[in-house]
Amino acid sequence: MGQHIRVAVAGAKGRMGQEVVKMLGQDDRLAYVGELDTREDESAVKARLEEMKPDVLVDFTTPHSIYRNLELCLEHGVRPVVGTTGLSPEQIQEMDRRYSESQLGCIIAPNFAIGAILCMKFAAMAAKYMPHVEIIELHHDKKLDAPSGTALKTAEMIAAVRQEQKQGHPEEKETIPGARGADYDGFRIHSVRLPGMVAHQEVLFGATGQTLSIRHDSINRESFMPGVNMAIKAVMNMSGLVYGLEHLID
Ligand code: NAP
């Protein structure tokens, strides 16, 4: 048992949480020690953590819970691996400061699928040369936050290399509000929500006489598990917060 990483899961009964529990059961180096519901009162949460003694808390809950869950992990010295999306950039910055002060490892990844990470990286490469870009993200209709954490992270990575400029006709008018999507540094993000979808993203570039489309599709939730597995192992040897799985791969 000594070599095992003890892993608790918040949101274990959710769509992602169930996949995580299954994945933990398939890896001899990881021990699933149980689920944690942080909506219970403080003393019950504390007692549960003392009972499970987790090294890592994998969190796939909701945008409402995640900030408090990160605080709880800090208070109890548990390393979080967070897939939950919906944290604001300010909240991430604040947690970055607090985890770096405490030197506790923490990974927040808006997308654990390797193909989605590559999609973001390729999009950032392309945006340097083709600055006219729009992001379309498509998800199932139970998703609470829009745009997706992946789209926001992609937008951030694009904005870091793209000269800021407003796209479209300068006099363009929306006859139905929202028709052109959300504005991020002058380019647009569109969120589609439909049953039957899992998690998909297309980044479209346009230049004179040519277009480029970069698309990623997660067709099931197993697609995220190798990334979650890697993050659990990585967070044990880290100090401070890492935002984005791309920082854990070359
Ligand atoms: P879901 O099916 O609604 O699951 C969320 C689960 O969390 C539910 O079982 C819910 O319980 C539970 N929960 C809510 N608050 C809690 C708390 N404070 N403590 C413990 N459990 C709590 O949602 P999902 O589709 O699995 O998605 C979960 C999150 O992961 C979302 O933010 C989504 O955007 C994100 N996500 C990330 C990735 C990635 O690769 N990073 C991939 C897919 C999804 P009740 O049902 O009892 O309320």
Side-chain angles (χ1 to χ4, degrees), residues 14-16 36 38-39 60-61 65 83 85 109-110 112 143 224:
R15 286 175 289 262
M16 287 295 289
L36 182 73
T38 58
R39 291 166 295 188
F60 281 98
T61 57
S65 305
T85 52
F112 280 105
K143 186 166 177 58
F224 303 110

Side-chain angles (χ1 to χ4, degrees), residues 19 21 25 28 30 39 50 52-53 69 106-107 139 158 164 178 180 193 202 211-212 215 217 229-230 241:
E19 283 297 332
V21 173
D28 292 344
L30 307 178
R39 291 166 295 188
E50 274 163 16
M52 294 192 291
K53 297 189 178 43
N69 290 0
C106 171
I107 295 175
H139 282 81
I158 288 174
E164 189 177 342
R180 289 284 290 117
R193 297 290 175 266
E202 192 158 343
T211 65
L212 170 67
R215 181 171 172 116
D217 298 276
N229 184 296
M230 179 172 84
L241 187 151

Side-chain angles (χ1 to χ4, degrees), residues 9-18 35-40 59-66 68-69 72 82-86 108-113 116 139-140 142-145 148-150 198-199 218 221 223-225 228:
V9 178
K13 293 200 176 65
R15 286 175 289 262
M16 287 295 289
Q18 288 180 40
E35 61 182 283
L36 182 73
D37 194 330
T38 58
R39 291 166 295 188
E40 290 183 351
D59 192 303
F60 281 98
T61 57
T62 70
H64 316 297
S65 305
I66 183 55
R68 178 67 194 130
N69 290 0
L72 268 170
V82 175
T84 311
T85 52
I108 302 178
N111 203 311
F112 280 105
H139 282 81
H140 59 88
K142 302 284 185 297
K143 186 166 177 58
L144 291 173
D145 52 321
S148 69
T150 306
V198 180
S218 270
R221 291 181 176 81
S223 63
F224 303 110
M225 292 308 122
V228 177

